[in-house]
Amino acid sequence: MASSSSSSVSSNYDIPWVEKYRPNKVSDIVGNEDAVSRLKVIARDGNMPNLILSGPPGTGKTTSILALAHELLGANYREAVLELNASDDRGIDVVRNKIKMFAQKKVTLPPGCHKVIILDEADRFFFDFFGGNMVKCRYNISMTSGAQQALRRTMEIYSNTTRFALACNTSSKIIEPIQSRCAIVRFSRLSDQEILGRLMVVVETEKVPYIPEGLEAVIFTADGDMRQALNNLQATYSGFRFVNQENVFKVCDQPHPLHVKNMVKHVLEGNFDDACSGLKQLYDLGYSPTDIITTLFRIIKNYDMAEYLKLEFMKETGFAHMRICDGVGSYLQLCGLLAKLSVARETAKAV
Amino acid sequence: MGKRDAVVVLSSDEEEEDWKPNKNSRSKLSSSVPQANPEVAKKKKKARFSSSVPRSRSSRVDQFEHLGDEFDEALRAFNGSIGYVKNQRKELWVDKYKPQSLEELAVHKKKVEEVKMWFEQRLRTPKEEFDSYVLVISGPAGVGKSATVHMIASHLGAGLCEWKTPIPTLWQEHVHNSSSGIRYTSKLDEFENFVERTRKYISLSGESKSSIILLIDDLPVSNGKFAYGRLQNCLRVLVQSTRTPTAILVTEYGNTETADRTARSIEELVLSLESAGACKVLFNPVTLNSIKRTLSRICRLEQCNVTAGEIDLIAKASGGDIRHAITSLQYYTLKPETSFSSPSSNGALACFEEKTVDLNSLDVEASLPFGRDETLSLFHALGKFLHNKRDTENAVTSDHDRFHLREKFRRLPLKMEAPEKVLSQAHGQARPVVDFLHENVLDFIRDENIDDAWTVASYLSEADFLLASSRGTITRSYEAESVLQSTAVSVAVRGVLFGNSNPLSSRWHAIRRPKIWQVEQSSVCNKFEMMKQRFTAYDGLSSSNLSHVAMEHRHVLKWLGSRPYGNGVLTQGNDTEGNKVDGMTSEGQQCEASEDEIEDW
């Protein structure tokens, strides 16, 4: 990502923008204002309850919890925060001991402060806990309860010195006894405006040349995921030095939504041949069926069409997506999908 | 270690653990000073929190309070000297407002009474022989199982002897230990030792000090058949031989993805304990009212102004889990004072267009972030989908004009955001949404519109299919799975919206919890039971189909009902052949029978 040939660079050029522009203060976090406002109060008053932060990726869960920890603990951050995420070794013993040892560690803190244990990607955590892949733990699943018990006891016993923050994608994957001990903070996808606002800040400070359509494309590819948006922006910039639609889609290697949109339009107008040739073109460009169908689904979701058609289109796309995920990722499936969409359209059409 | 006052040492070493039982035993004594201490501290804290508390107490109370203060200081100094300062202000509310008396427990009075009676009988009249000294208390997380036992123990003045899960041994530690001659003991060994010790110790000194309650809160992890068998044996021995009143707490797992095989094996364990003669008490989720009472008490003590409506919401969203309700309350009161009056997530709403303004009042409640799994906001969203409000006339059709739909596929525009948007605001997850819709949608379809029901059902089944495929394989990427899930949920929601062409006029309906969850749970339970039987019957060779067991063997067993159970299981294999023919002929009858059984379960 970091090419050294550029001239307009600051010294820390090769830091990913995701890291460079990661907010350090809770108040700088974009979106989810309800959650963030509460976290702000915690940052001010201390006494953080045990938290589960759940929401889709790239919505600021990790960022806010890190920022919160920084604000709470300030200079003590190094010794009073234990961060475990998916990249750490999560063998059961390592984790259990790490957490427990940390909880027992004596740290001198100002009153009202607590040590913080951050478990990132906690829903994976209970699976990865066993150092094995998920399939393996299907058979070994009673291990889960070990992890659970260790954690839930630890939470209780050390609650006056140590607090937990768990970040995960779906809170229901966290076992009930732990859910019961935590307040759940829900994060939802960022709106396009919120992402745009942040992108503008970055674009301005980095002096990235852009056209508005380019940013729009970045936002489209990101789909409410700030991390992705920043990564794509940076990738486009370092690849092409200019952010316009074409470059963005080239870099992100996604089928051009306009192209896909045209396909849908052709289907709706009854030009099956045109739709098919559009598909062929996309396929020949080398996009995998998974890429195409994912984009197609998102286009259909936002396309303005009659309710019945939308429903049917979504259903068929869903089935096609399922088949493709199951390994039948052939061109034929995509053509078949277009045909089915056309049939749905014909059925619905008034004679 | 010298500690100045300003510095609070946050530590949690043995001293603290030593301190805890200490507290327990102190509260056991009925002398007033230590008892009064928390009270006083609370009062004092209150006064500290806000000066608006009217200081109109009599001088005597003041004096007493002063005394209490002094005592408090002394106590703090004492605690400080052993390296542990209790941090009064910065506790979790769950700990801070632990029930102090039986009356404060949020558990149903009768349940508490029942458990109390059980212990009382066994403690007060040690001479009598009871057929069981072990009580298995089971219930979902956060319904006050441990709290009840703790309170009852202190109420009866009994000491608690609690099994505490030992800290796992580090490898380095182990190496160090083994060089100094200490042998490694597995945690299960330790548990066995503990059980053994308590059994013997108490039976030795049983005559004089009978007031000890054994509490096993955390069953040790048993991994694999062998360890599990040991645990089971150990507990069975405990059940059969102990003369100390013992409480074993078992957490039930509801319908989450986490209800894995562990939960099954725990259920099995409970069954085996029961068959060994243990009593079982089931704790239900805490009722709405008592949660509300507790929450408003805490609000009063904390002096935070949360309206009754908000408390009601929190209580409802907690689903009978009082611990979670209190935690949520603590989290909820963390509001910047400025925007306290409008608990709406402006961030999510502000970006909407103007037309949502009228909806806003409703969405204020809908976007509250509480709840464990099914948030209240989810119910609001479901309500929207089920009621299916639409504009009365087709105002703007210009966009679709180029394309005319058949009459039967035409629908009036929806009076809501795009369903996907509503869902994402409600933090709805695919599986529960589909289940809820399935359970409730028929209430909203007119009786005469059977075609609508047909359409809706077919769409729901397709959504279910999409979901099932994403549940089966877990190797898929998050990306792919999330697309599938969102497709499924869109199909379900839009199917319900589209299918119900002529919705019932708005009427109040309670949204029911899907029955299917219960059914699934008991079916898994049955299956597990049968697997076990099959295993014993075939000596590990799993050659027979589960449905065979269900359709044939079980009925043979029932039929042979008079025989002892264990023999019946063993003979089952031999009977199979002969009964196959029988099974075919009286199939219908057997189906009925098996349904009955499921109900009994």
Side-chain angles (χ1 to χ4, degrees):
Chain A
M1 211 184 285
S3 68
S4 52
S5 65
S6 86
S7 52
S8 69
V9 267
S10 53
S11 56
N12 46 3
Y13 173 74
D14 31 10
I15 299 177
W17 288 355
V18 181
E19 292 304 326
K20 195 170 166 189
Y21 293 97
R22 191 190 278 273
N24 292 319
K25 284 200 206 120
V26 179
S27 48
D28 290 346
I29 288 163
V30 176
N32 292 300
E33 287 180 17
D34 182 68
V36 171
S37 70
R38 283 165 210 275
L39 295 182
K40 259 187 255 173
V41 181
I42 298 179
R44 195 187 62 207
D45 296 351
N47 197 15
M48 179 184 106
N50 294 322
L51 295 176
I52 292 178
L53 298 95
S54 84
T59 49
K61 300 181 296 294
T62 314
T63 307
S64 46
I65 197 63
L66 288 178
L68 178 63
H70 269 292
E71 278 184 51
L72 275 177
L73 296 158
N76 292 315
Y77 182 88
R78 247 171 205 293
E79 48 186 11
V81 174
L82 175 68
E83 226 189 301
L84 293 169
N85 58 35
S87 61
D88 285 304
D89 184 8
R90 288 176 161 188
I92 185 161
D93 277 341
V94 174
V95 172
R96 266 213 277 186
N97 292 331
K98 248 189 188 168
I99 291 177
K100 225 151 188 174
M101 299 293 269
F102 177 78
Q104 290 174 332
K105 193 167 86 171
K106 278 183 194 172
V107 180
T108 315
L109 292 176
C113 282
H114 302 274
K115 286 178 285 178
V116 176
I117 296 182
I118 299 173
L119 299 179
D120 211 345
E121 292 162 56
D123 45 357
R124 300 246 143 194
F125 182 75
F126 289 110
F127 288 105
D128 288 352
F129 224 27
F130 326 115
N133 55 25
M134 303 257 256
V135 182
K136 189 173 147 202
C137 71
R138 286 294 267 205
Y139 302 103
N140 259 349
I141 214 147
S142 62
M143 284 281 236
T144 345
S145 92
Q148 289 164 24
Q149 277 184 342
L151 195 58
R152 99 185 162 91
R153 278 306 263 192
T154 322
M155 263 184 183
E156 235 162 43
I157 295 172
Y158 302 112
S159 72
N160 41 40
T161 63
T162 308
R163 298 291 159 80
F164 286 80
L166 288 75
C168 61
N169 289 137
T170 40
S171 65
S172 66
K173 285 210 177 128
I174 299 210
I175 35 147
E176 275 179 51
I178 291 178
Q179 277 188 40
S180 161
R181 283 164 178 78
C182 297
I184 297 182
V185 188
R186 290 179 199 276
F187 283 72
S188 42
R189 278 188 192 286
L190 302 177
S191 73
D192 291 353
Q193 281 92 333
E194 286 162 341
I195 294 189
L196 182 65
R198 192 70 190 163
L199 286 186
M200 290 308 289
V201 172
V202 175
V203 160
E204 230 110 275
T205 24
E206 294 285 335
K207 302 203 174 53
V208 179
Y210 70 97
I211 52 170
E213 286 77 26
L215 291 188
E216 205 176 289
V218 170
I219 290 169
F220 178 87
T221 54
D223 193 24
D225 181 339
M226 181 71 87
R227 182 187 297 129
Q228 187 123 48
L230 286 174
N231 278 339
N232 290 347
L233 180 70
Q234 186 176 18
T236 315
Y237 174 61
S238 44
F240 295 94
R241 302 277 131 209
F242 185 67
V243 180
N244 62 11
Q245 243 175 334
E246 223 142 275
N247 292 347
V248 170
F249 288 113
K250 255 186 217 161
V251 163
C252 304
D253 203 18
Q254 281 189 8
H256 200 302
L258 205 64
H259 208 111
V260 181
K261 207 168 182 174
N262 275 332
M263 259 162 57
V264 179
K265 201 175 114 214
H266 285 314
V267 169
L268 279 175
E269 283 166 358
N271 305 327
F272 181 66
D273 288 343
D274 288 351
C276 271
S277 69
L279 176 67
K280 177 99 176 74
Q281 228 175 332
L282 269 185
Y283 193 77
D284 288 346
L285 281 174
Y287 292 115
S288 79
T290 325
D291 288 339
I292 297 176
I293 196 115
T294 312
T295 318
L296 184 66
F297 175 68
R298 282 175 55 197
I299 293 289
I300 288 176
K301 202 163 82 176
N302 298 318
Y303 201 96
D304 185 29
M305 60 176 108
E307 194 184 338
Y308 171 75
L309 285 180
K310 201 165 191 171
L311 174 58
E312 283 295 318
F313 278 29
M314 280 181 142
K315 188 181 85 184
E316 293 303 342
T317 320
F319 283 133
H321 185 267
M322 196 173 76
R323 283 187 219 113
I324 289 172
C325 280
D326 283 342
V328 201
S330 60
Y331 177 58
L332 185 57
Q333 284 298 328
L334 291 173
C335 285
L337 173 62
L338 286 187
K340 275 174 191 152
L341 297 187
S342 298
V343 169
R345 183 239 175 214
E346 287 304 315
T347 339
K349 195 182 178 200
V351 197
Chain B
M1 26 170 86
K3 293 286 172 291
R4 262 159 298 148
D5 243 3
V7 177
V8 175
V9 180
L10 295 168
S11 74
S12 31
D13 41 3
E14 282 66 47
E15 277 135 3
E16 179 210 338
E17 271 166 29
D18 284 348
W19 198 72
K20 265 187 186 158
N22 201 359
K23 198 166 71 177
N24 256 343
S25 62
R26 245 192 307 125
S27 62
K28 182 171 67 177
L29 305 172
S30 51
S31 87
S32 64
V33 178
Q35 281 284 32
N37 178 39
E39 290 286 284
V40 170
K42 220 179 266 172
K43 267 187 216 152
K44 195 182 131 205
K45 173 171 32 110
K46 224 173 172 182
R48 209 193 300 145
F49 264 160
S50 75
S51 49
S52 66
V53 175
R55 305 277 277 160
S56 63
R57 299 194 187 96
S58 68
S59 59
R60 210 181 237 179
V61 175
D62 268 358
Q63 231 173 13
F64 179 64
E65 200 176 319
H66 185 64
L67 246 172
D69 276 1
E70 268 180 11
F71 182 85
D72 209 31
E73 294 285 339
L75 183 76
R76 194 168 302 171
F78 168 71
N79 282 333
S81 70
I82 61 168
Y84 170 72
V85 175
K86 199 164 184 228
N87 196 341
Q88 295 280 12
R89 284 183 58 203
K90 300 293 185 183
E91 276 179 292
L92 288 180
W93 287 4
V94 176
D95 294 334
K96 196 164 160 187
Y97 296 104
K98 252 196 182 124
Q100 304 291 334
S101 66
L102 280 181
E103 288 73 41
E104 275 180 45
L105 279 175
V107 186
H108 196 273
K109 289 271 174 313
K110 278 190 188 144
K111 264 288 135 70
V112 179
E113 196 57 29
E114 193 185 329
V115 178
K116 198 181 91 182
M117 283 296 288
W118 192 90
F119 279 114
E120 213 164 15
Q121 280 172 354
R122 279 154 187 78
L123 286 174
R124 293 282 144 81
T125 52
K127 291 283 174 289
E128 262 178 69
E129 276 291 306
F130 292 94
D131 45 354
S132 146
Y133 282 86
V134 174
L135 185 67
V136 178
I137 301 179
S138 75
V143 295
K145 298 183 295 291
S146 324
T148 308
V149 176
H150 278 274
M151 284 328 298
I152 286 175
S154 73
H155 178 81
L156 297 175
L160 264 186
C161 184
E162 200 176 339
W163 158 251
K164 283 217 176 68
T165 325
I167 298 158
T169 326
L170 288 176
W171 175 246
Q172 286 94 328
E173 240 180 293
H174 170 65
V175 171
H176 178 79
N177 281 346
S178 54
S179 65
S180 61
I182 304 167
R183 281 192 51 218
Y184 174 77
T185 50
S186 93
K187 302 308 160 205
L188 202 52
D189 284 335
E190 281 180 40
F191 182 71
E192 276 180 346
N193 282 341
F194 169 81
V195 168
E196 197 72 0
R197 221 172 36 237
T198 49
R199 219 152 47 90
K200 284 181 181 152
Y201 159 70
I202 284 159
S203 64
L204 278 179
S205 62
E207 290 85 3
S208 57
K209 272 195 193 172
S210 56
S211 56
I212 281 191
I213 290 175
L214 190 62
L215 174 62
I216 299 175
D217 196 342
D218 234 358
L219 288 175
V221 193
S222 55
N223 200 0
K225 257 201 148 40
F226 178 66
Y228 176 72
R230 266 178 69 192
L231 177 67
Q232 197 171 359
N233 267 340
C234 171
L235 285 171
R236 277 184 80 103
V237 169
L238 177 76
V239 169
Q240 279 158 355
S241 65
T242 186
R243 288 290 168 270
T244 323
T246 304
I248 300 178
L249 306 187
V250 176
T251 305
E252 272 175 7
Y253 295 87
N255 179 84
T256 46
E257 288 157 58
T258 55
D260 49 27
R261 202 180 293 170
T262 326
R264 300 285 105 69
S265 71
I266 285 184
E267 267 163 42
E268 194 198 357
L269 199 66
V270 170
L271 279 181
S272 97
L273 287 180
E274 267 184 287
S275 70
C279 300
K280 187 182 173 192
V281 172
L282 200 81
F283 271 45
N284 293 324
V286 183
T287 58
L288 194 61
N289 277 332
S290 55
I291 291 188
K292 275 199 267 186
R293 214 176 312 127
T294 314
L295 291 187
S296 42
R297 187 175 66 89
I298 294 176
C299 281
R300 255 196 333 274
L301 290 173
E302 283 288 334
Q303 307 199 319
C304 45
N305 53 347
V306 179
T307 64
E310 284 155 358
I311 287 186
D312 191 54
L313 281 179
I314 298 176
K316 268 188 196 149
S318 72
D321 179 343
I322 185 130
R323 179 169 36 213
H324 188 74
I326 296 175
T327 316
S328 294
L329 180 73
Q330 184 178 9
Y331 172 67
Y332 180 65
T333 49
L334 294 169
K335 263 253 121 174
E337 287 73 9
T338 46
S339 62
F340 200 90
S341 51
S342 64
S344 73
S345 67
N346 291 319
L349 293 173
C351 54
F352 292 177
E353 289 84 280
E354 308 78 61
K355 63 184 172 186
T356 49
V357 172
D358 53 333
L359 276 173
N360 226 351
S361 55
L362 205 147
D363 280 338
V364 166
E365 291 186 344
S367 57
L368 284 177
F370 313 122
R372 276 191 359 201
D373 271 343
E374 302 88 46
T375 44
L376 206 62
S377 46
L378 178 60
F379 285 101
H380 282 276
L382 287 172
K384 273 187 197 168
F385 298 144
L386 289 168
H387 281 295
N388 199 0
K389 292 243 177 64
R390 283 166 190 273
D391 287 340
T392 38
E393 65 210 53
N394 217 343
V396 266
T397 47
S398 54
D399 284 355
H400 309 301
D401 269 348
R402 54 196 138 94
F403 184 79
H404 280 290
L405 288 174
R406 271 174 216 238
E407 185 59 43
K408 66 169 180 177
F409 294 125
R410 250 179 257 164
R411 294 287 183 272
L412 295 166
L414 286 169
K415 249 170 136 180
M416 64 173 100
E417 297 280 319
E420 287 79 23
K421 203 162 189 176
V422 175
L423 263 180
S424 86
Q425 276 159 33
H427 306 286
Q429 285 177 7
R431 176 47 68 178
V433 168
V434 175
D435 285 347
F436 267 106
L437 285 176
H438 180 216
E439 177 75 31
N440 292 292
V441 74
L442 284 183
D443 289 354
F444 293 82
I445 296 178
R446 281 174 202 274
D447 284 346
E448 60 270 22
N449 291 355
I450 191 70
D451 281 352
D452 285 356
W454 176 83
T455 321
V456 168
S458 76
Y459 279 117
L460 281 178
S461 89
E462 267 147 9
D464 187 47
F465 181 45
L466 286 171
L467 270 182
S469 70
S470 83
R471 188 170 46 181
T473 51
I474 38 174
T475 43
R476 266 186 202 142
S477 65
Y478 176 81
E479 179 82 39
E481 202 176 307
S482 83
V483 169
L484 266 183
Q485 291 206 345
S486 61
T487 329
V489 84
S490 289
V491 168
V493 167
R494 284 176 175 274
V496 165
L497 286 173
F498 171 80
N500 195 0
S501 64
N502 196 1
L504 279 174
S505 54
S506 193
R507 188 146 56 88
W508 190 81
H509 280 287
I511 292 184
R512 289 189 306 268
R513 226 182 136 72
K515 270 199 202 93
I516 191 167
W517 292 354
Q518 216 180 326
V519 174
E520 262 171 22
Q521 213 172 341
S522 57
S523 104
V524 171
C525 189
N526 280 344
K527 266 186 206 152
F528 182 76
E529 189 64 20
M530 286 190 298
M531 294 259 271
K532 229 172 55 192
Q533 285 183 4
R534 183 180 70 180
F535 191 79
T536 27
Y538 288 93
D539 205 16
L541 285 170
S542 49
S543 55
S544 80
N545 195 322
L546 261 194
S547 57
H548 276 196
V549 181
M551 296 298 290
E552 293 157 17
H553 305 183
R554 294 187 61 77
H555 302 289
V556 179
L557 289 184
K558 228 182 176 181
W559 189 54
L560 297 169
S562 55
R563 291 206 215 171
Y565 200 60
N567 292 343
V569 173
L570 288 176
T571 52
Q572 167 185 307
N574 307 334
D575 288 347
T576 319
E577 294 304 312
N579 278 286
K580 241 174 202 164
V581 190
D582 250 7
M584 298 309 284
T585 52
S586 55
E587 204 169 352
Q589 201 185 328
Q590 286 180 349
C591 263
E592 267 178 39
S594 83
E595 268 167 26
D596 284 348
E597 250 174 16
I598 288 169
E599 274 176 10
D600 291 345
W601 216 259

